[in-house]
Amino acid sequence: MSWQAYVDTSLVGTGDVDRAAIVSAAGDSVWATSSNFKVSPQEMQEIVTAFKDTAEPKNIQSTGLHVAGEKFIVLKADDTSIYGKKGKEGIVIRKTKQALLIAHYPESVQPGSAANTVEKLGDYLVGSGY
């Protein structure tokens, strides 16, 4: 399956996510994205740095995280996942060996449903060597 198919089918296609991107784990290239979801190079580096700082997540939880031009309050940050919220919408970011799955969910979706969708794809990719 192509990276774009993962975005279109396994993330956005579920209805639990309305916009998504898959970028390299180094944050230096975009592999696939929704047409209405632009994660800037600076935002990708902010995410990469956030994963490096998860041993001491107070930094990201106090400053928040920017994704696609929006600032999110970070609710959870560990070595594989970051969850953020802005009002009733939010983001779920899942790190695999080689990729970062960045997904946005609208206020009409329960956060747990979006997180489950992104985490399942992340687990599948890790199991596949990615």
Side-chain angles (χ1 to χ4, degrees):
M1 186 180 286
S2 73
W3 292 112
Q4 191 62 50
Y6 284 122
V7 168
D8 297 340
T9 306
S10 301
L11 293 172
V12 176
T14 66
D16 293 328
V17 170
D18 63 350
R19 298 177 277 161
I22 300 175
V23 304
S24 70
D28 57 4
S29 62
V30 176
W31 294 354
T33 188
S34 301
S35 61
N36 58 349
F37 196 59
K38 303 292 183 223
V39 182
S40 74
Q42 180 181 357
E43 291 169 337
M44 286 190 281
Q45 287 307 308
E46 188 178 339
I47 293 166
V48 169
T49 300
F51 276 111
K52 290 178 183 172
D53 291 343
T54 55
E56 186 60 45
K58 293 182 184 111
N59 292 336
I60 189 170
Q61 289 178 326
S62 64
T63 61
L65 188 66
H66 296 87
V67 176
E70 298 182 83
K71 184 176 181 177
F72 293 86
I73 296 168
V74 174
L75 304 174
K76 174 191 174 196
D78 61 31
D79 59 348
T80 60
S81 302
I82 297 173
Y83 296 179
K85 198 120 167 103
K86 179 184 173 196
K88 292 184 178 182
E89 61 186 72
I91 54 163
V92 178
I93 304 171
R94 175 65 155 80
K95 182 179 180 184
T96 70
K97 295 173 189 171
Q98 298 179 35
L100 295 170
L101 310 177
I102 306 167
H104 176 275
Y105 60 89
E107 61 182 64
S108 60
V109 172
Q110 290 293 324
S113 296
N116 186 49
T117 295
V118 177
E119 295 286 358
K120 279 174 46 178
L121 178 57
D123 290 346
Y124 170 77
L125 292 174
V126 168
S128 299
Y130 291 101

